[in-house]
Amino acid sequence: MERQVTDMSPEKFRELFPIFLVKHDDNWGTQYAAMEKALKEALRAFAVARISHVGSTAIPGILAKNIVDIMAELAPGEDMERAAEAIEGLGFVRKYTEPGRIFLRLGYTEEGFAKEVFHLHLRYRGDCDELYFRDYLRENPAIASEYEALKQRLWRQYEHDRDAYTEGKTAFIRKQTEAAKAAYGARYV
């Protein structure tokens, strides 16, 4: 296994891991399925409510970063810290921890991106706005196209600034997520 980046200056990180968008790749679903299986095994001692493929790689037909986003929702009361440690056993590196949320990544090597790259969002059941957003874009191709165009503009502007790229998408994502919740009700509670 390639050595994962655990500590690097922000400047070097931005240069080594720029924002990039590629055409939709059906292999992302295969990568997700393999990682879902590995996660289920790693988390077998925990009550896992749901594991889901989220993010742009889960929305057919739009450009995306070649990074498969996964959300794992634990049942309330589960020890999230211990679950994160089990995930780290798969090679994932923790990026941040905040109340009720841990973000980990895999595939950020000292030489750049690995062949397969994953972001893992560890949450408690019901903290799943990403599912509403994903399904709303899947079911509304015009909105998915709008999102793709926004991402392309931001990519050109913030190729080496992930935080600005992400912040630039926030208002659009919130607006569509709220529309999805209004349309779907309590679909993912």
Side-chain angles (χ1 to χ4, degrees), residues 51-71:
I51 298 176
S52 306
H53 184 185
V54 296
S56 294
T57 60
I59 303 167
I62 70 168
L63 295 174
K65 293 188 306 287
N66 194 21
I67 299 170
V68 175
D69 280 276
I70 300 172
M71 186 170 45

Side-chain angles (χ1 to χ4, degrees), residues 100-159:
R101 293 180 163 199
I102 297 177
F103 178 78
L104 306 104
R105 61 184 177 214
L106 178 68
Y108 288 74
T109 76
E110 293 178 347
E111 292 75 41
F113 287 113
K115 184 179 177 191
E116 293 184 0
V117 184
F118 297 92
H119 286 171
L120 192 132
H121 309 266
L122 186 61
R123 311 272 181 78
Y124 286 110
R125 183 182 64 229
D127 182 4
C128 58
D129 283 357
E130 292 85 348
L131 293 177
Y132 287 95
F133 183 73
R134 177 199 68 191
D135 287 355
Y136 199 66
L137 267 61
R138 282 178 173 175
E139 296 169 19
N140 294 280
I143 295 171
S145 292
E146 213 179 304
Y147 183 54
E148 179 182 54
L150 171 63
K151 288 172 28 149
Q152 286 179 293
R153 286 191 305 275
L154 294 169
W155 170 29
R156 287 189 278 284
Q157 189 173 359
Y158 300 116
E159 180 180 6

Side-chain angles (χ1 to χ4, degrees), residues 23 28 30 64 67 80 82 90 95-96 101 105-106 117 128 133 139 142 149 152 161 188:
K23 290 185 179 190
W28 292 330
T30 304
I67 299 170
M80 186 175 286
R82 282 189 45 244
L90 295 173
K95 183 177 178 202
Y96 66 80
R101 293 180 163 199
R105 61 184 177 214
L106 178 68
V117 184
C128 58
F133 183 73
E139 296 169 19
Q152 286 179 293
D161 188 345
Y188 295 113

Side-chain angles (χ1 to χ4, degrees), residues 151-189:
K151 288 172 28 149
Q152 286 179 293
R153 286 191 305 275
L154 294 169
W155 170 29
R156 287 189 278 284
Q157 189 173 359
Y158 300 116
E159 180 180 6
H160 294 284
D161 188 345
R162 286 180 172 275
D163 292 337
Y165 174 82
T166 300
E167 182 60 35
K169 299 184 302 180
T170 299
F172 181 91
I173 291 170
R174 281 189 185 138
K175 178 181 177 185
Q176 302 311 324
T177 300
E178 290 309 311
K181 286 179 173 181
Y184 300 148
R187 179 185 279 190
Y188 295 113
V189 177

Side-chain angles (χ1 to χ4, degrees), residues 75-96:
E78 282 292 341
D79 187 333
M80 186 175 286
E81 179 61 34
R82 282 189 45 244
E85 290 168 5
I87 293 166
E88 289 168 333
L90 295 173
F92 279 84
V93 173
R94 191 178 311 210
K95 183 177 178 202
Y96 66 80

Side-chain angles (χ1 to χ4, degrees), residues 6-102:
T6 57
D7 189 35
M8 180 179 285
S9 74
E11 297 78 22
K12 182 167 176 157
F13 188 89
R14 284 192 293 272
E15 287 304 312
L16 194 56
F17 303 107
I19 298 295
F20 65 97
L21 299 176
V22 298
K23 290 185 179 190
H24 185 84
D25 183 346
D26 290 338
N27 190 45
W28 292 330
T30 304
Q31 290 176 25
Y32 164 75
M35 186 55 71
E36 178 189 31
K37 184 177 178 181
L39 287 166
K40 284 181 177 178
E41 178 60 25
L43 296 171
R44 67 187 178 281
F46 301 90
V48 176
R50 178 174 36 226
I51 298 176
S52 306
H53 184 185
V54 296
S56 294
T57 60
I59 303 167
I62 70 168
L63 295 174
K65 293 188 306 287
N66 194 21
I67 299 170
V68 175
D69 280 276
I70 300 172
M71 186 170 45
E73 295 172 81
L74 300 173
E78 282 292 341
D79 187 333
M80 186 175 286
E81 179 61 34
R82 282 189 45 244
E85 290 168 5
I87 293 166
E88 289 168 333
L90 295 173
F92 279 84
V93 173
R94 191 178 311 210
K95 183 177 178 202
Y96 66 80
T97 300
E98 56 187 42
R101 293 180 163 199
I102 297 177

